């Protein structure tokens, strides 16, 4: 079990995936060694200051569906997700992507590739990449100016081995 702060990223030790975790979020390392992408994707359900209300695995494990709740400040850019996939030599693993499937009613979501710092826990060989900006994807939500209330959006994450993670975020804008 490990605790990570809001700017820390982590991954399963046996894969090259990393995800943003909320401040003081504690998670247990996944035992799903035979399905590393699913294990990594399940870790992703704890991202970005949200509580997961459901994870559904389908199509023999090639698709995951999860619903999460986040609270954000109105009118500010809020990171809903930051993730990437690396080889042990810090080069990007091809096949990582994301796309918006449903825009929010009271704001805007952007999904784009970026360069960011990802964190990998020792003894993962990717831990040597922690001090380098590496290819990553960012999902960012911004509410309409002056809006306070509930919002919702969805996006898909594509993992290098073909797994698709369908994510719905229920947003509480304050």
């Amino acid at each position: 079990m490990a605790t990570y702060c809001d700017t820390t990223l982590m991954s399963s030790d046996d894969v090259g995936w990393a995800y943003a975790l909320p401040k003081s979020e504690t998670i247990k390392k996944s035992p799903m060694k035979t399905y590393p992408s699913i294990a990594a994707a399940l870790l992703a359900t704890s991202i970005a200051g949200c509580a997961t209300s459901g994870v559904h695995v389908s199509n023999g494990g090639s698709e995951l569906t999860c619903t999460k709740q986040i609270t954000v400040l109105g009118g500010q850019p809020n990171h809903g997700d930051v993730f990437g996939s690396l080889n042990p030599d810090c080069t990007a693993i091809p096949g990582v992507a994301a796309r918006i499937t449903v825009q929010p009613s009271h704001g805007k979501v952007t999904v784009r590739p970026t360069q960011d710092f990802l964190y990998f826990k020792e003894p993962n060989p990717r831990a040597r990449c922690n001090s380098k900006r590496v290819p990553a994807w960012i999902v960012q939500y911004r509410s309409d100016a002056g809006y306070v209330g509930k919002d919702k959006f969805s996006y898909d994450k594509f993992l290098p081995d073909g797994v698709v993670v369908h994510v719905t975020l229920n947003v509480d804008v304050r």
Side-chain angles (χ1 to χ4, degrees):
M1 195 178 298
T3 302
Y4 300 87
C5 69
D6 60 339
T7 58
T8 301
L9 303 170
M10 65 81 55
S11 76
S12 172
D13 287 344
D14 56 349
V15 296
W17 276 90
Y19 300 95
L21 289 177
K23 187 172 187 176
S24 300
E25 179 72 21
T26 301
I27 63 171
K28 293 180 181 175
K29 184 177 172 184
S30 173
M32 298 177 63
K33 298 271 186 202
T34 56
Y35 302 101
S37 288
I38 293 174
L42 289 174
L43 293 175
T45 63
S46 297
I47 61 168
C50 58
T52 303
S53 60
V55 176
H56 176 74
V57 180
S58 59
N59 291 335
S62 65
E63 290 189 55
L64 292 166
T65 303
C66 61
T67 303
K68 299 177 283 187
Q69 176 72 39
I70 62 173
T71 301
V72 302
L73 295 175
Q76 303 293 317
N78 295 277
H79 297 297
D81 200 348
V82 178
F83 58 96
S85 183
L86 299 178
N87 290 305
D89 67 357
C90 305
T91 58
I93 296 175
V96 178
R99 74 165 178 230
I100 302 163
T101 56
V102 177
Q103 280 284 351
S105 299
H106 304 285
K108 179 79 174 159
V109 173
T110 57
V111 176
R112 63 179 169 80
T114 189
Q115 295 282 316
D116 210 335
F117 296 97
L118 301 179
Y119 177 80
F120 295 89
K121 184 179 176 190
E122 295 285 353
N124 188 322
R126 293 163 187 85
R128 62 189 280 272
C129 308
N130 291 349
S131 63
K132 302 176 183 180
R133 283 191 185 272
V134 294
W137 282 80
I138 187 169
V139 177
Q140 194 169 48
Y141 170 83
R142 181 189 297 251
S143 68
D144 293 337
Y147 179 76
V148 175
K150 305 289 184 192
D151 210 350
K152 180 179 180 177
F153 65 92
S154 300
Y155 60 99
D156 289 341
K157 292 196 282 190
F158 301 93
L159 284 64
D161 61 357
V163 172
V164 178
V165 182
H166 307 288
V167 181
T168 298
L169 276 140
N170 294 308
V171 183
D172 183 12
V173 182
R174 295 184 180 190

